[in-house]
Amino acid sequence: MQTNWTKLRLLALAGSISWMGSTLTTFAVVLQYKDAYGPNGVSAIMLSMILPTILAAPYAGVLADRVRAAILLPTLLSIMGLSTFMLSFDLGFIWSLVFLAITATCGTPVGASFNATLANYATPDDLPRVMGLLQTGSSVGAMLGPGLAGYLVTVTGSFAWSFRIDAASFFVLAFAVMALRIDRKPQPQIEGEKIRAMDGVKLVMKNDLVRALVILITMVIVAVSVINIGEVFLVMDELGADAITYGIVAATFAFGSVVGAVSTSVFKVPERYHAPISVAALVALSLITLTLAFAWHWIVVAIAWFIAGFFNAGLNAYGISLIINRTPEEIRGRVMAAVRAMFSTASVVGMGIAGLLIAGFGIRNVLGAAGIACIAIIVVLAPAVLRASRRLVD
């Protein structure tokens, strides 16, 4: 099998449009409710987009492994488009949380199916480059989204257009899946075999390298999730930026992700370096979290955010590829759903704590503590990842 670069490039283009739409919604809904509901309200918004991915993960993995991607993906993407469109009617905070949760619930099997399907269109050696290519598309979309959201809100005085554009982007991606004939057929089921939702978790815990890497990333996510809640308060309240400036600052993360993703898609790196690169990326993200605590201008945040995006792209490309390449085809959907659920659980815990801590101690103090916690976690857990990686090479 050869890597189908033409199909993957077109899929990346469609994905960039969808990611731009999703970023529009994320930033628009935060801007819409941050003043009225404060840090806890922003936490509730983020949790409404994350909790469903945890609760639905076991069943999402089963769907990804037992339903053809050509059927599953367009159907769920269409539902996501409809639920996002409902946000434009401004039915209130609670209904916004409901529609965000519906979108996130459908997005869980979509994400698992997409990740599991990639291996059907790329060789194992090319998979990190493919991940980089797809992330380039999504990062470009995410880079355009925040600035556009801030612009639309400022110029129109309404949040509705951000939600309408996002809704349309889901239908664009659904059409691309059908037009490109993206598909992954379920593996034949052995007679008497039971399809267990938790098989993905068991595989993650069984493989030494996958287990060590997932645990390390999960623990770091708990600490750095404070940024998701505190960024808007740091940039706008502490540093005095307006909505457009906030959108531009947030977009620098996506710009850094574009540069990092392009790098991973262009340069072919031997597999023995994938785990060390992942650890180095986590170290960089930890130091950036600590740096944000001392930011004196929004430009400092923008620069730090660009660097964070660059290293995050490397972590996604090499870390996730390691996991995909070590997963049997027949349970790949369940494994990727399990991994996503673990990461989402970490975000929920981190953001839940962050909202309370920021309200009590201030954003700068919490960012500083989170950065120190990240560094301590890496010192303790990173050696296990590197040891497992060396055993794999040997």
Side-chain angles (χ1 to χ4, degrees), residues 3 20 25 27 39 102 115 118 143 157 179 188-189 201 208 228 254 257 260 336 343 349 372 384 387 390-391:
T3 300
M20 182 192 70
T25 287
F27 281 86
I102 292 172
N115 283 325
L118 288 180
M143 180 177 62
Q189 186 175 347
V201 177
D208 290 344
N228 292 328
S257 296
M336 298 313 300
F343 293 165
V349 173
I372 294 172
R387 284 196 299 270
R390 284 195 293 269
R391 285 197 298 269

Side-chain angles (χ1 to χ4, degrees), residues 222-281:
V222 172
V224 301
S225 291
V226 63
I227 298 177
N228 292 328
I229 304 301
E231 178 193 16
V232 64
F233 299 101
L234 176 65
V235 176
M236 297 187 72
D237 295 345
E238 291 279 331
L239 301 177
D242 58 18
I244 294 179
T245 302
Y246 168 58
I248 293 172
V249 170
T252 59
F253 180 89
F255 183 43
S257 296
V258 170
V259 177
V262 169
S263 299
T264 59
S265 66
V266 171
F267 300 106
K268 193 170 185 177
V269 178
E271 190 176 29
R272 64 180 179 274
Y273 297 118
H274 292 182
I277 290 174
S278 299
V279 171

